Amino acid sequence: MEIGKETYVDMMSGFEFLEGHMKMIYGNRGDFKHNLERYISSELFQNASRVPKTINDIPIVDFEQLKGLCYREKYYNDLSRKIVAEYDSLSKQKSITKDDYLEWGGVLGVCPWIKPETEVLYPYLLDLFVKSNDEGEKIWKEVQNQMPILQMIVDNLVCSMRDGQIYNYKGRMVWSQGYIRNFFRGENAYYSKSRPSMFRGEPARHGERESSRLANALRTAELALWMRSLECINGWQYSDIFDSAIAQHYGIPTSHMDISGNIMVALFFACCKWDGTGWKPLNTLDFKYADSRKSVYELGGDSRYGVLFVAPAIISRMSGILNDDYFNLTEVEPIGYQPFIRCSAQNGFIIRGNPEYDMFCDPAFAKVRFRLTQEICDWIYDEMDCGNKIYPKEPFVDISRVVSRIKTTKRFSKQAFEKLMDSWEKSEGECKVQLEKLNEYGYCIEEKPIEWCDSSEKKNIEKALKSQMEQIENNYPKMAYFKPVFAI
């Protein structure tokens, strides 16, 4: 990929080459498989609730412990920004010293440091446990001898933590949101299952269920086509547009699971509800008894508890790069900054699910529950500015009307159908079977593109979206292509 006169290598924030460089210094201690095995056998993994059978298998945390988790996340996020700021300042002055690299390497977790492994920015990335002073001195000597390699490792990790980096994630260019320590998901009750929106409350009959899934996938395709009809969207040059993630964040059912890199966002969803007019904190009537919310109780759930799912981000990255089924650790996919700002406001990530996926059965995520109280719900509601921090008031509010029409339609364009079938690599015969499924259950495919808004409404959206693009340019971080610090 050519950017100006410099060549940039497409890669996942440099983590692909990181393993090889760590092994140059530390041997097998830097091996991803070895370190994933260490994580899985650790007390942190083994003592957590991984695949709970009932609500009683999930440990309870109190309000103070939840606040402690929030403060801890903030500490590491602030620390990552401090490291980036120090690095940038000293780089401009051309005054970075060997001691600076050793200190940053220790904080990052890629060279020996005074604090335990769980307190570095990237825990379990490197095995620095030693059984004797001689073993420790041998490692330290190797670090000293291989300082140029350590410098490259630190350079690239610091670069990957910088907000606004653009890198290639499996063929999709992502405008990243910087350092993420943990992935979170919050739910405002114990539902006994946690599944993608497309597979919740589905029809019982097989044929109807299959056609419903197909229709929802077509709705995402229609939204993608409509977005591409907007001049400002076509002019978006910062990253690839993640159609299905935008659809998910604006309420169209997809096979994705919403994940956040921000614990406060997860807690908001675990303590608040949409009442049809806006977001509100849960109240006593919502959580006093296990059956306080009938819809929860009918699903075998318990209204009294919020549930928090947590997984270390570095473990997901290592597992994704290693791609070894033995570890069975779910990969979490970045969304990054998008032209519609709700995704980035929620620090959004996704898991690509399927009909069988249930986060309660996913060992990559630890589960904790907490007793819902008015104090907790009011606290997070206030902290998130009544929801405005994660549902920012966008100037192009009319998009919600367009999405509402697409969400309920049973009419789809031939263009959307063909786009979806191409992405699924369906043969002509398979396409015919899919069409028959749709027709049987009252869906229809039309030859012409469907106009989801009239020309006047579209003109207003275009005008507002142009203003939004200007806001993005001013408020989103300055983009920079990820540049690995090694010769090719």
Side-chain angles (χ1 to χ4, degrees), residues 140-178:
W140 185 247
K141 184 178 179 181
E142 194 62 28
V143 170
Q144 300 287 328
N145 291 337
Q146 299 274 17
M147 274 305 297
I149 301 297
L150 179 67
Q151 288 171 11
M152 284 194 289
I153 291 171
V154 171
D155 287 337
N156 282 278
L157 278 176
V158 171
C159 190
S160 73
M161 293 194 304
R162 187 178 288 108
D163 197 17
Q165 291 294 311
I166 294 180
Y167 63 91
N168 186 316
Y169 179 88
K170 298 187 175 180
R172 180 171 60 81
M173 299 308 294
V174 177
W175 190 3
S176 77
Q177 292 190 256

Side-chain angles (χ1 to χ4, degrees), residues 24 245 312 393 397:
M24 289 181 188
K393 291 183 172 65
V397 292

Side-chain angles (χ1 to χ4, degrees), residues 82-258:
K82 177 176 177 286
I83 295 293
V84 171
E86 288 177 355
Y87 179 93
D88 289 345
S89 176
L90 292 176
S91 291
K92 286 180 182 178
Q93 300 169 30
K94 296 183 179 179
S95 60
I96 299 179
T97 66
K98 174 182 173 181
D99 287 341
D100 291 325
Y101 274 110
L102 290 171
E103 181 181 350
W104 293 334
V107 177
L108 291 165
V110 293
C111 81
W113 199 35
I114 57 172
K115 292 193 177 182
E117 178 176 38
T118 52
E119 294 187 28
V120 301
L121 287 174
Y122 293 102
Y124 291 97
L125 180 60
L126 174 66
D127 181 5
L128 289 172
F129 177 78
V130 294
K131 297 178 180 178
S132 67
N133 289 335
D134 288 345
E135 196 175 1
E137 288 173 6
K138 183 179 178 182
I139 290 175
W140 185 247
K141 184 178 179 181
E142 194 62 28
V143 170
Q144 300 287 328
N145 291 337
Q146 299 274 17
M147 274 305 297
I149 301 297
L150 179 67
Q151 288 171 11
M152 284 194 289
I153 291 171
V154 171
D155 287 337
N156 282 278
L157 278 176
V158 171
C159 190
S160 73
M161 293 194 304
R162 187 178 288 108
D163 197 17
Q165 291 294 311
I166 294 180
Y167 63 91
N168 186 316
Y169 179 88
K170 298 187 175 180
R172 180 171 60 81
M173 299 308 294
V174 177
W175 190 3
S176 77
Q177 292 190 256
Y179 174 76
I180 301 294
R181 184 175 182 81
N182 288 300
F183 295 125
F184 299 94
R185 178 178 173 83
E187 297 185 353
N188 67 7
Y190 169 75
Y191 286 96
S192 76
K193 293 184 183 297
S194 181
R195 308 177 66 208
S197 55
M198 184 184 284
F199 310 120
R200 300 176 204 155
E202 292 190 293
R205 293 166 60 191
H206 175 76
E208 190 176 0
R209 184 167 61 248
E210 291 299 307
S211 65
S212 173
R213 293 173 183 174
L214 178 55
N216 278 323
L218 281 168
R219 290 180 178 113
T220 293
E222 287 287 359
L223 179 64
L225 290 172
W226 177 78
M227 288 193 295
R228 297 306 189 286
S229 74
L230 301 172
E231 185 178 337
C232 284
I233 295 296
N234 280 326
W236 176 261
Q237 59 183 329
Y238 308 103
S239 63
D240 289 332
I241 296 173
F242 199 164
D243 299 318
S244 57
I246 293 173
Q248 170 80 5
H249 276 263
Y250 284 84
I252 292 176
T254 74
S255 60
H256 301 338
M257 290 291 290
D258 280 328

Side-chain angles (χ1 to χ4, degrees), residues 35 58 135 137 151 153 175 212 283 345 373 384 395 444 456 486:
N35 286 299
I58 304 174
E135 196 175 1
E137 288 173 6
Q151 288 171 11
I153 291 171
W175 190 3
S212 173
N283 60 61
T373 66
M384 301 309 285
C444 66
S456 175
F486 62 95

Side-chain angles (χ1 to χ4, degrees), residues 260-304:
S260 177
N262 186 333
I263 188 174
M264 300 295 281
V265 171
L267 282 175
F268 179 86
F269 288 116
C271 297
C272 301
K273 63 179 180 180
W274 176 262
D275 69 356
T277 61
W279 284 95
K280 300 289 189 298
L282 295 173
N283 60 61
T284 305
L285 294 177
D286 295 314
F287 52 69
K288 188 173 183 179
Y289 304 108
D291 61 351
S292 287
R293 283 170 277 168
K294 186 179 178 182
S295 59
V296 173
Y297 194 68
E298 288 177 348
L299 293 172
D302 191 323
S303 299
R304 295 172 297 175

